[in-house]
Amino acid sequence: MAILKVAMLGNPVLRKKAAAVKDVAGAETQRLIDDMIDTMKEYSGVGLAAPQVHASHRLCIIEAVKGSPFKEAVALLNPSIEPLSQQKADDWEGCLSIGDLRGTVPRFRHIGVKALDRKGKVVEFEATEFFARVIQHEVDHLEGVLYFDRMKDLTTLTHMNEWSRYWLKKS
Ligand code: NI
């Protein structure tokens, strides 16, 4: 297992549409999943998409955040999502590929998710609130979309220090 180098904003891989994973069971895919889990944990992320580690594949790791039915970090391969309600909520997001910034992003509150797990088995589940937010953020990475593309405007885009200083109490 290894900690992988994270692609930072400006790297074209972050803006590319990722290709479907074909060889789910292959050693290379399985190693990438293990390394991505290690990398996400190393940097205290709650999710990580393969393009963020220079691998333009439709694969993301979602940590077992509040609301997740999974007991540990889960790999979603070739995921698709659909809103189950048009209701959206605004909340703070950051991104390991963007670094020391946060902003408020509107996301669907309730989504349906269909993907393959790391064994190639189809998994289908519903996600709400923070869990749904993390999945939407990571699936966006597979389309080359970054969180600030989804912000209504950039007025809440904030460095972490200033976030703690000016925004923490308000949120
Ligand atoms: Ni991100």
Side-chain angles (χ1 to χ4, degrees):
M1 295 203 199
I3 309 295
L4 303 172
K5 190 172 180 209
V6 175
M8 296 305 287
L9 181 64
N11 189 317
V13 72
L14 294 173
R15 290 305 196 174
K16 217 173 128 183
K17 187 177 160 77
V21 180
K22 293 202 180 90
D23 188 16
V24 175
E28 213 171 299
T29 305
Q30 294 298 314
R31 188 170 55 236
L32 177 61
I33 291 169
D34 288 335
D35 290 347
M36 283 177 64
I37 292 171
D38 283 356
T39 304
M40 177 184 75
K41 289 182 186 294
E42 172 73 14
Y43 297 110
S44 307
V46 290
L48 187 69
Q52 292 185 273
V53 292
H54 307 83
S56 196
H57 307 309
R58 303 188 78 77
L59 154 63
C60 57
I61 308 295
I62 310 291
E63 186 55 283
V65 296
K66 193 169 174 236
S68 170
F70 306 101
K71 288 197 175 68
E72 49 190 32
V74 66
L76 300 179
L77 296 93
N78 303 334
S80 60
I81 58 179
E82 54 162 352
L84 295 178
S85 135
Q86 287 307 306
Q87 241 194 347
K88 287 187 178 182
D90 266 314
D91 211 341
W92 293 97
E93 289 184 24
C95 179
L96 293 179
S97 294
I98 293 171
D100 171 50
L101 287 170
R102 273 189 179 179
T104 58
V105 186
R107 298 285 187 189
F108 291 112
R109 300 183 72 162
H110 187 190
I111 59 170
V113 183
K114 190 175 176 184
L116 298 176
D117 69 10
R118 67 180 298 166
K119 290 177 180 155
K121 199 180 101 195
V122 176
V123 285
E124 258 182 288
F125 56 90
E126 293 182 15
T128 59
E129 305 302 338
F130 187 60
F131 182 48
R133 173 173 298 279
V134 175
I135 294 171
Q136 288 170 85
H137 177 118
E138 300 311 331
V139 171
D140 266 355
H141 273 300
L142 309 181
E143 296 297 322
V145 173
L146 300 170
Y147 75 81
F148 52 64
D149 301 336
R150 300 277 190 194
M151 291 172 70
K152 279 181 257 177
D153 59 59
L154 300 180
T155 51
T156 61
L157 197 61
T158 306
H159 282 288
M160 287 304 295
N161 266 341
E162 283 66 24
W163 181 79
S164 308
R165 196 165 164 196
Y166 298 109
W167 296 88
L168 185 57
K169 279 176 217 147
K170 288 193 218 162
S171 63

